[in-house]
Amino acid sequence: MKSQNFFSTLCAVILFVFASNSFAQTTTTVITTPTKKYVVTKEAFPQWSVTPSGGIVFPIMDLSNSFKSNGIFGLEVGTKVNKEVGFYLRGNYMFMNSSASGAPVGKYIEISVGPRYYFSSINVKSQLFADAGLGPYIFTQASYQPQDPTAAVIPEISETKLGVNAGVGASLYLSDNMNLMIRTKYNTVFTSTATKSFITASTGLEFKF
């Protein structure tokens, strides 16, 4: 519950900070020659964006022995310093059904930051991108009694570990102030015994400011 409240507070703070920004501006210049008039539009940088998203998380390798696929939702704040380079801060809330009968859901909160590179093309407003990030991954699972009444109660788990992620995606143009973002990422969380890995696939609306 504490981790859920923390994530909700983080999302609210991010939205409040960026709500006062005006929409992304473009500079339009009209060039007139003796024979023709040209309208030249140039994007202004930096550009800020807020992207709420939702999708699916897929546990893999050792983690898939303990948990099953389930949902993910999150919020990202990004900035583009030019047409190709950007940076982001993202918070994700993930929940995975346990493979053990009667066991509670396992939950991850990811807070990561990192760079993003956009593959641009002349006269194409949609862009492919690749990014990477790192940050804390907070895992929680409530205590429970196994179905075997003689077995000991499994204690509550609450731990924060460093993790990294990398992936690819696309920012599909909808309007000057909105894109459809789709992406998939490979996540690895480092623990004292082994790494825990999962893949996320999500989509969301990118609101540009």
Side-chain angles (χ1 to χ4, degrees):
M1 181 63 68
K2 290 183 178 179
S3 60
Q4 295 179 25
N5 291 337
F6 173 77
F7 183 76
S8 300
T9 302
L10 174 66
C11 292
V13 170
I14 291 173
L15 285 174
F16 176 80
V17 169
F18 290 95
S20 60
N21 284 277
S22 58
F23 282 100
Q25 298 296 314
T26 57
T27 302
T28 301
T29 303
V30 179
I31 301 175
T32 304
T33 68
T35 59
K36 196 171 183 179
K37 178 184 290 186
Y38 299 89
V39 178
V40 179
T41 301
K42 182 179 180 181
E43 291 184 88
F45 295 98
Q47 293 179 356
W48 293 90
S49 63
V50 173
T51 309
S53 62
I56 303 175
V57 54
F58 302 95
I60 59 174
M61 295 190 284
D62 290 346
L63 193 61
S64 65
N65 296 328
S66 303
F67 295 99
K68 303 176 183 179
S69 301
N70 212 316
I72 173 177
F73 65 88
L75 183 69
E76 175 184 295
V77 174
T79 181
K80 290 181 70 176
V81 296
N82 57 45
K83 194 171 180 62
E84 287 81 25
V85 179
F87 299 90
Y88 69 87
L89 169 66
R90 181 175 55 249
N92 278 329
Y93 176 72
M94 296 163 271
F95 47 99
M96 299 173 286
N97 293 333
S98 176
S99 299
S101 179
V105 171
K107 304 168 186 176
Y108 263 113
I109 288 181
E110 167 212 350
I111 304 172
S112 62
V113 61
R116 176 173 292 155
Y117 182 81
Y118 292 87
F119 300 91
S120 60
S121 179
I122 298 176
N123 298 326
V124 178
K125 294 183 177 181
S126 297
Q127 292 182 291
L128 300 177
F129 62 81
D131 60 21
L134 80 164
Y137 285 71
I138 305 166
F139 178 78
T140 59
Q141 186 180 28
S143 63
Y144 68 98
Q145 172 68 56
Q147 288 189 329
D148 182 357
T150 62
V153 174
I154 305 299
E156 178 185 7
I157 301 174
S158 179
E159 59 182 19
T160 301
K161 302 294 183 181
L162 178 68
V164 296
N165 57 75
V168 295
S171 184
L172 306 178
Y173 177 83
L174 298 178
S175 72
D176 288 343
N177 297 315
M178 184 187 301
N179 292 334
L180 176 65
M181 181 180 285
I182 57 176
R183 62 184 166 222
T184 181
K185 305 208 74 173
Y186 184 91
N187 300 258
T188 295
V189 182
F190 303 104
T191 70
S192 57
T193 56
T195 60
K196 298 179 180 179
S197 301
F198 51 89
I199 295 173
T200 58
S202 61
T203 183
L205 290 176
E206 179 184 23
F207 299 95
K208 298 184 292 182
F209 296 86

